[in-house]
Amino acid sequence: MPPKHFHLRLLSLDGRPWAVALCLLFWLSSVCIAQTSTRPEMSVEMTTNTPRIALGESGSLNLICRNFELRSSPQINVDGLQIMQRGKSSQITIRNGERSRQVTYTYVVVGEQVGRFTIEPLRFSTGSGESLASGSVTFEVYQPDGSQTEIANEKPYFATLELAETKLYVNQVIPATLSFFVRGGGGARFTKVNFTNDALAVRSRDQFANTQTIIDGIPFSKTQASYRFFAMKPGEFDVQADIAAQVQAMNNRFGGGSGFFFNRLEEKTLRSIPVKIEVLPLPPGAPESFTNSVGEFQMLTQVAQKSGLQVGDPLQLEFIVSGVGNMQIMGAPKLSGERSDGWKVYEPSREYDPSRSSDGLNPGVVRFQQVIIPQRAHTKLPSFQLSYFNPKTERYETLESEALTVSIAEDPQKTDSQSAAASQSREISTLSAEAAEPSPKAELPEPQFSDVLYIKRTRPHWLSSAAPTFADSWSAMMRFHIIAIGLCLAIILALGFLRIHRARKLASEGPCESWSDVSRFLQGSKEKDLSNMLRQLYQKLCELQDSKPKGFEKEAEREIFTKVQAAAFTSTSSNVEKLSLVTALKQDISALSRKGS
């Protein structure tokens, strides 16, 4: 058994903590994957989930700041609207090790006049000097009809559908607001909404708002959902929605005007009040570049590279179309036949995000990528056209891309080969004219292809291009961590085994019961590793101390024990100091050994 003063530490090697640090460092490096730290992108956005509000009623406005915060909520003033600050909320998200923060400033908007009112973009300056601007938001304040008052006196809950326009063209997008009224202070949550007319293409904006209103002196809670739709064929239609909702009714427990109240959820299914609309067909005479889009748009053209191009190099154009209208069915800009001379045009791609599409009041955006290849030298890009029908002017309008300046040169290799071919053709013509008799037919040379890869005739083995699923990623991550943990445990077990083996080896040499045993150990020890020898000497002295019930009685014995203990566990001493100490210890311990014998 090792003596009580000899502490066996599995996680340290020769008293040094570097082994522990190595294991911890290995574990942290296996868990923490190095990622390139990027500065979070700052942006600001202004949104609303109630673009249409009744006169005298309230809506909501949100100002969303990402990765920065304003000192105070900005004051927003618009004639015809009363905009009041409501509060502020913040949200912190950590995704793939990247931290982002979002601060939302909420406002209450009350319509004071009938009409359309636009809140212009707000501009802010961040702490780093960067200037940011939000988008604009448009509110439409309408005059409600008297049907709500008539129904409010009869039913505890009802639903209405309000449209921005009741007379529209085919493919014209208009916003719609579906409202669910519940008598009292309760609320409602839509579980399913289905529009009954198949001639309409309806899309929800996934935005809901709960407000309180008073109809003919009766308090109601109102739950609003925003939609956008367009008609796919002309004609007259009745538009209404079937709604399934969970109603949180507030009922009087004792039937009187006061008392204890409790909430009760009820499943209710009802149909909204029908609204009649008239859909007009589009007029004839649509231009060739018309793609069935209706609205009012603008187009921006971008090109990735403008110089250093040669004939045959592909160019990628990007058309960014923004505005108010139907972007869901919009096609890409077209290149007319007369302008396509010298260009090879490929099928365009489309980037459309429904959440950023126009609702008929607020603008949206859609992007098109077009690849073209020049077949001869050019100095300008061809112009593309995009035509749409403007319901305000009731005529077709055409957007034309900018004629951007580019530098496209002829391929020098192709030019040299063409010149050589022309020169050879002239020489052949001259020789043919001078020859009296026709020349014998020359043998065809065998082609020498040095730049063509060998075509394999065997059946190819196709690799799967499917993206890894979540289960595959999770399985790979678990295997990685299991291997890392196994390596850490192997290192710890190896260090512990070495330490135990050394302790057993020292214990097998027999305990020290006299100074003669200590002297023999010291004389037989090698002086290559002085620190290790001093620690083993300290162990022998501890064994000698245990063999004496009264401990070290002499001053010389206690002094030797103190020196060895200090030198064995002090890493600041130099090897010269330790060697001189060992030399002196050999003489002192030899003297005590002779005296004891």
Side-chain angles (χ1 to χ4, degrees):
M1 290 290 294
K4 61 182 180 180
H5 296 282
F6 179 74
H7 303 288
L8 181 63
R9 291 175 287 177
L10 294 178
L11 297 181
S12 65
L13 187 59
D14 296 338
R16 299 178 183 178
W18 66 269
V20 181
L22 179 63
C23 294
L24 293 177
L25 181 61
F26 183 81
W27 170 249
L28 291 177
S29 62
S30 65
V31 176
C32 301
I33 300 175
Q35 295 183 353
T36 304
S37 58
T38 57
R39 180 183 176 186
E41 182 180 359
M42 294 182 291
S43 62
V44 59
E45 182 181 8
M46 188 163 49
T47 63
T48 179
N49 54 6
T50 55
R52 300 185 72 250
I53 54 178
L55 181 64
E57 296 187 1
S58 61
S60 62
L61 176 68
N62 298 322
L63 182 64
I64 304 173
C65 301
R66 297 182 177 89
N67 299 316
F68 79 99
E69 184 176 359
L70 302 175
R71 295 182 179 179
S72 59
S73 302
Q75 187 70 30
I76 304 176
N77 297 316
V78 176
D79 294 338
L81 299 176
Q82 183 181 3
I83 305 176
M84 300 167 288
Q85 301 177 11
R86 185 175 183 179
K88 181 182 74 171
S89 62
S90 60
Q91 179 182 358
I92 297 177
T93 305
I94 299 177
R95 182 177 299 175
N96 295 332
E98 297 183 359
R99 178 179 179 272
S100 61
R101 184 185 182 193
Q102 177 176 300
V103 182
T104 303
Y105 301 88
T106 307
Y107 297 82
V108 177
V109 181
V110 179
E112 297 181 333
Q113 299 178 12
V114 176
R116 290 191 177 186
F117 306 94
T118 300
I119 302 178
E120 298 298 332
L122 304 178
R123 300 186 179 274
F124 305 96
S125 179
T126 62
S128 59
E130 184 178 358
S131 180
L132 301 176
S134 67
S136 61
V137 172
T138 301
F139 285 91
E140 181 179 5
V141 182
Y142 63 93
Q143 179 69 46
D145 53 18
S147 59
Q148 294 183 0
T149 302
E150 299 175 359
I151 301 177
N153 296 326
E154 301 176 357
K155 297 183 179 180
Y157 39 79
F158 63 95
T160 61
L161 181 64
E162 298 157 354
L163 308 179
E165 302 285 346
T166 56
K167 187 176 182 179
L168 60 152
Y169 285 91
V170 174
N171 296 336
Q172 180 182 352
V173 173
I174 61 172
T177 303
L178 184 62
S179 303
F180 196 102
F181 294 85
V182 180
R183 187 193 296 264
R189 183 173 66 89
F190 295 164
T191 57
K192 184 178 181 181
V193 177
N194 182 33
F195 286 82
T196 58
N197 199 311
D198 295 335
L200 304 178
V202 185
R203 185 175 185 87
S204 172
R205 299 185 62 197
D206 296 329
Q207 294 178 344
F208 301 90
N210 292 294
T211 58
Q212 302 292 327
T213 185
I214 297 178
I215 303 177
D216 198 21
I218 304 174
F220 278 83
S221 67
K222 181 172 67 171
T223 302
Q224 286 184 317
S226 300
Y227 295 85
R228 62 174 181 266
F229 76 90
F230 62 91
M232 296 181 287
K233 60 182 181 180
E236 294 186 356
F237 309 101
D238 287 335
V239 183
Q240 54 187 162
D242 292 332
I243 308 169
Q246 290 182 343
V247 178
Q248 185 181 15
M250 302 290 290
N251 297 324
N252 192 317
R253 184 174 182 180
F254 300 102
S258 61
F260 298 97
F261 291 82
F262 67 96
N263 299 338
R264 186 177 74 252
L265 291 178
E266 301 177 354
E267 288 286 345
K268 298 296 180 183
T269 302
L270 68 159
R271 177 168 291 185
S272 65
I273 303 172
V275 178
K276 189 177 291 295
I277 63 172
E278 181 183 1
V279 181
L280 304 176
L282 295 177
E288 182 182 355
S289 57
F290 178 64
T291 58
N292 297 324
S293 186
V294 177
E296 188 174 3
F297 308 100
Q298 302 83 36
M299 183 171 62
L300 175 65
T301 306
Q302 296 180 349
V303 61
Q305 185 179 0
K306 296 182 180 180
S307 60
L309 300 171
Q310 296 180 357
V311 174
D313 293 341
L315 284 85
Q316 181 171 352
L317 306 179
E318 184 178 24
F319 304 104
I320 305 174
V321 183
S322 60
V324 178
N326 193 342
M327 296 180 170
Q328 183 175 346
I329 62 173
M330 178 182 291
K334 296 182 179 181
L335 180 64
S336 60
E338 58 185 15
R339 300 177 183 177
S340 61
D341 183 26
W343 297 94
K344 188 175 181 179
V345 184
Y346 289 85
E347 190 71 21
S349 61
R350 184 170 183 263
E351 182 181 340
Y352 171 71
D353 185 1
S355 62
R356 300 188 61 187
S357 183
S358 173
D359 60 355
L361 286 178
N362 296 292
V365 64
V366 62
R367 298 172 181 265
F368 300 95
Q369 285 78 30
Q370 177 72 65
V371 176
I372 58 176
I373 295 180
Q375 296 178 327
R376 57 180 176 81
H378 293 277
T379 57
K380 288 187 178 182
L381 290 177
S383 58
F384 287 74
Q385 292 182 346
L386 175 66
S387 298
Y388 61 92
F389 180 77
N390 192 336
K392 294 182 179 179
T393 59
E394 296 184 346
R395 60 185 180 87
Y396 294 98
E397 299 180 1
T398 301
L399 298 175
E400 190 168 354
S401 64
E402 305 175 28
L404 300 177
T405 302
V406 294
S407 176
I408 302 175
E410 291 284 355
D411 189 352
Q413 296 181 357
K414 184 177 180 181
T415 304
D416 296 341
S417 62
Q418 290 177 352
S419 301
S423 176
Q424 185 177 4
S425 177
R426 287 194 299 270
E427 292 178 358
I428 293 175
S429 300
T430 304
L431 292 174
S432 299
E434 295 176 354
E437 296 181 359
S439 301
K441 186 177 181 180
E443 297 182 358
L444 293 176
E446 295 185 0
Q448 300 293 331
F449 299 109
S450 59
D451 58 343
V452 178
L453 296 177
Y454 174 69
I455 300 177
K456 295 184 179 181
R457 299 179 179 273
T458 58
R459 187 174 182 179
H461 175 66
W462 301 105
L463 299 177
S464 175
S465 61
T469 61
F470 175 79
D472 297 335
S473 302
W474 177 258
S475 177
M477 184 179 66
M478 289 301 297
R479 288 197 300 269
F480 174 77
H481 285 287
I482 290 174
I483 294 174
I485 294 173
L487 291 177
C488 290
L489 292 177
I491 294 175
I492 294 174
L493 292 176
L495 294 175
F497 175 78
L498 292 176
R499 194 60 175 170
I500 293 174
H501 177 71
R502 183 172 299 175
R504 289 178 177 177
K505 182 178 179 181
L506 294 176
S508 63
E509 297 176 355
C512 291
E513 298 179 353
S514 65
W515 285 104
S516 299
D517 297 335
V518 177
S519 178
R520 284 195 300 270
F521 165 77
L522 189 59
Q523 295 298 333
S525 300
K526 298 180 180 180
E527 297 179 356
K528 292 183 178 180
D529 190 354
L530 296 174
S531 300
N532 189 28
M533 188 184 71
L534 287 172
R535 293 189 183 92
Q536 295 178 10
L537 178 60
Y538 171 70
Q539 178 189 359
K540 296 295 182 181
L541 294 177
C542 291
E543 295 174 358
L544 181 61
Q545 183 185 12
D546 291 339
S547 65
K548 295 183 178 182
K550 296 182 180 180
F552 291 132
E553 297 179 353
K554 298 180 181 180
E555 185 68 27
E557 296 175 347
R558 289 196 300 270
E559 184 178 354
I560 290 175
F561 183 83
T562 303
K563 289 182 179 179
V564 174
Q565 183 180 16
F569 299 102
T570 303
S571 60
T572 57
S573 301
S574 62
N575 290 334
V576 177
E577 294 174 348
K578 293 179 180 180
L579 184 59
S580 61
L581 175 62
V582 170
T583 304
L585 287 173
K586 286 183 178 181
Q587 299 176 358
D588 296 340
I589 293 175
S590 297
L592 289 174
S593 175
R594 290 193 298 271
K595 187 176 180 181
S597 60

